[in-house]
Amino acid sequence: MKAFRLDELEAERIANDGAYLQFLRERNMSVGLYALDAGQLDPQRPHKEDEVYFVVSGRGSITVGTETTQVGRGSVVYVPAGVPHKFNHITEDLRIMVVFSPPES
């Protein structure tokens, strides 16, 4: 078993000066913590892997392809591999758990 605490992951992400911290990598998936502050622009490009986003905290919206939806604590969004997507209109700092399958390359 591997177990993690979000407060410890957030501290590690901050200590490494990055918006993204991969904290688990296995044969069929990887998991990370992604942070975007209020008003920040999301620099993502499409990924080669399928993704699931779970919003841990914050508020904003996400555009996937041509569809946009509001997100907040508890939101879960699936993004197919290769589809353009970005978080936008971030009104409260977003902390997002990201699952990639297969693992992010």
Side-chain angles (χ1 to χ4, degrees), residues 47-79:
H47 304 282
K48 297 177 190 173
E49 307 81 14
D50 287 342
E51 294 176 80
V52 173
Y53 290 111
F54 172 71
V55 178
V56 175
S57 62
R59 292 197 156 294
S61 60
I62 186 171
T63 301
V64 178
T66 59
E67 297 180 87
T68 300
T69 190
Q70 298 294 311
V71 294
R73 182 177 173 218
S75 296
V76 178
V77 178
Y78 166 69
V79 179

Side-chain angles (χ1 to χ4, degrees), residues 78-100:
Y78 166 69
V79 179
V83 175
H85 59 284
K86 289 195 184 292
F87 288 93
N88 46 66
H89 306 292
I90 301 166
T91 57
E92 295 176 21
D93 295 353
L94 282 171
R95 298 302 178 261
I96 306 151
M97 188 171 305
V98 186
V99 179
F100 288 99

